Amino acid sequence: CTIDDRVTRVAWLNRSTILYAGNDKWSIDPRVIILVNTPTQYSIMIQNVDVYDEGPYTCSVQTDNHPKTSRVHLIVQ
């Protein structure tokens, strides 16, 4: 997820479940970790991914002006 200095809040979600909000981990799954949290990037990683992890993931970004989301659909083969 690409971010900039206007971002006030950022989070990663799986469906409607919050995985990370900023640096705070909300997921109890130990395989989900924050990979990068810099002024320009906000990324998570799921270690040892399996078919149950498949589905939509959303990066939600809040700025002073408006919210923005980026979505990715994880496919496990």
Side-chain angles (χ1 to χ4, degrees):
C1 187
T2 302
I3 57 176
D4 60 35
D5 59 355
R6 297 173 296 153
V7 172
T8 57
R9 292 188 184 129
V10 63
W12 269 103
L13 301 91
N14 177 345
R15 296 172 182 85
S16 62
T17 303
I18 299 172
L19 301 174
Y20 266 92
N23 283 323
D24 297 328
K25 185 173 184 177
W26 288 45
S27 172
I28 60 169
D29 190 337
R31 300 173 307 126
V32 179
I33 60 169
I34 200 94
L35 184 62
V36 177
N37 188 5
T38 69
T40 59
Q41 281 290 321
Y42 184 67
S43 303
I44 60 169
M45 181 171 68
I46 303 170
Q47 298 171 322
N48 302 315
V49 67
D50 64 32
V51 293
Y52 298 107
D53 299 314
E54 190 166 301
Y57 290 81
T58 304
C59 180
S60 179
V61 175
Q62 179 68 47
T63 64
D64 290 334
N65 298 335
H66 55 70
K68 184 173 70 172
T69 59
S70 298
R71 292 187 175 91
V72 64
H73 191 92
L74 176 64
I75 297 172
V76 180
Q77 295 183 336

